[in-house]
Amino acid sequence: MSNEIRLAFEHPSARADATAPDGPLDRISVREHVVEVEIGAFQAERGITQRVSFNVVVEVRPLDVAIDDDVDRILSYDRVTEAIAAELAAERLNLLETLAERIAERILLEPQAVRTFVRIEKLDRGPGALGVEIVRSVADLATKPVGHLPDITPHPHVVYLTNQAIRSPNLAHWLDQLEARAEPVILCVGHAEVPSPKTGHKMTQRRVDLLALEQNAWMLAGRDDRCVVVNTRTELDWAMKNDQISVWAPSKIVLDAVDGPKTGPDDPVALAAWFAGHMDASDLLLIGEAPPERSPVPVLVQDIAQSGL
């Protein structure tokens, strides 16, 4: 068997190796990701689902800074599986070719992506796997307008809990109601009643105050297992798409933000409002707290005694 024929049936990662452009490129891959989906042009394929396997390789630009074991600095595997899920949810398609093209386009919109190999195979239409494979690059994307992509950006419901609300016997009931909402939920907290240590230095005090907010986030997590403390944008994105209630630990996102908050962590309500805007939230609900002077999103206020969320 010639090398060309052998490569035609190899995994996309081998194809990427054989056709690598000048200069080294890192790659991430998702192998044998199988989804039950309704797809196909034949009448026999309508009204039923079949197993479809996805193998995707994405070549990415090497980072010009150290990774530092930071998930927010890499192109996450989740972005690949989310691209697949988004296009499967957008509409029913007849052709694997159309699905592969749309998945590739969505992946290539990621800032680090340079080139992607997308192989899709139907597993239930014959004795073997029937499929297509395409290769697309950011150069291909530049010559073709991309207008079909549906917006899958989540718009979370951000909820600020005072210490009284955290201690309330109604906490579990509130969380039950929040879980039932259609939009994802992210909880924010203020400082604990115990005063933070004072450093006498503005920058170090900022760090101490941020850590104090995170300590209180962990206190909330101790009240109910549904409250998961999260500190990276990648984890927040995953949680929002998987119906997990997150408690925001602010240090990393605040310190990494290019357009950081104008107020410090000594004003946790204003910080929560900034975070709601940063996350493109649908709104900010304050339980037991007065609204901030300014907010980039609509603000709702609930009294603790009367709160029904």
Side-chain angles (χ1 to χ4, degrees):
M1 182 183 293
S2 72
N3 189 53
E4 289 81 4
I5 296 175
R6 178 185 62 80
L7 282 171
F9 292 95
E10 287 283 359
H11 186 267
S13 59
R15 300 280 302 278
D17 277 330
T19 60
D22 293 337
L25 286 174
D26 297 334
R27 300 186 184 101
I28 66 169
S29 64
V30 173
R31 293 172 178 257
E32 298 177 11
H33 177 67
V34 179
V35 181
E36 289 266 352
V37 61
E38 183 184 341
I39 191 170
F42 291 95
Q43 190 61 38
E45 296 177 290
R46 295 186 178 275
I48 64 168
T49 60
Q50 56 184 300
R51 292 178 304 145
V52 177
S53 176
F54 297 84
N55 284 275
V56 181
V57 172
V58 187
E59 294 179 329
V60 297
R61 293 182 182 86
L63 291 172
D64 55 5
V65 295
I67 293 177
D68 290 335
D69 207 31
D70 184 349
V71 69
D72 283 346
R73 293 188 177 182
I74 57 132
L75 176 57
S76 170
Y77 311 108
D78 290 337
R79 304 302 288 176
V80 176
T81 55
E82 287 167 7
I84 295 169
E87 294 307 332
L88 289 176
E91 63 176 317
R92 186 196 185 281
L93 295 175
N94 289 328
L95 301 177
L96 293 183
E97 288 84 351
T98 304
L99 179 58
E101 186 80 34
R102 293 186 175 185
I103 290 170
E105 288 173 357
R106 186 177 288 277
I107 290 171
L108 290 170
L109 291 176
E110 295 294 330
Q112 280 184 260
V114 174
R115 189 169 64 151
T116 185
F117 294 71
V118 179
R119 177 183 290 177
I120 310 178
E121 297 170 307
K122 295 180 179 180
L123 304 181
D124 300 327
R125 285 293 292 166
L130 309 177
V132 302
E133 181 180 330
I134 68 170
V135 184
R136 296 292 184 272
S137 69
V138 290
D140 299 323
L141 202 63
T143 63
K144 177 183 178 182
V146 180
H148 79 278
L149 298 180
D151 180 16
I152 60 169
T153 303
H155 301 285
H157 180 54
V158 176
V159 181
Y160 180 91
L161 299 176
T162 62
N163 290 326
Q164 186 181 356
I166 293 173
R167 294 192 305 269
S168 171
N170 290 325
L171 177 64
H173 173 64
W174 291 337
L175 293 175
D176 290 340
Q177 292 180 289
L178 291 171
E179 276 191 316
R181 293 181 68 105
E183 69 269 57
V185 175
I186 304 176
L187 305 178
C188 297
V189 299
H191 297 291
E193 273 101 5
V194 179
S196 301
K198 302 303 177 185
T199 69
H201 185 276
K202 183 177 179 180
M203 293 306 297
T204 57
Q205 188 63 50
R206 185 183 187 217
R207 293 286 189 121
V208 168
D209 289 342
L210 285 169
L211 289 174
L213 293 175
E214 296 191 0
Q215 286 181 316
N216 216 20
W218 285 106
M219 292 297 293
L220 173 57
R223 293 291 312 278
D224 194 295
D225 290 342
R226 289 172 290 182
C227 300
V228 180
V229 179
V230 174
N231 69 345
T232 68
R233 180 60 189 258
T234 300
E235 289 177 287
L236 282 170
D237 287 342
W238 184 91
M240 287 190 291
K241 291 166 184 172
N242 289 274
D243 301 321
Q244 173 186 291
I245 296 177
S246 299
V247 186
W248 181 43
S251 292
K252 175 174 172 49
I253 288 177
V254 168
L255 296 173
D256 287 353
V258 175
D259 56 341
K262 304 301 182 186
T263 58
D266 55 323
D267 188 349
V269 175
L271 185 65
W274 170 84
F275 173 69
H278 183 74
M279 296 298 296
D280 200 14
S282 60
D283 54 37
L284 169 64
L285 172 62
L286 305 175
I287 299 182
E289 186 59 79
E293 291 185 7
R294 291 183 297 274
S295 174
V297 302
V299 176
L300 310 173
V301 178
Q302 291 279 356
D303 181 78
I304 290 178
Q306 300 175 345
S307 179
L309 293 179

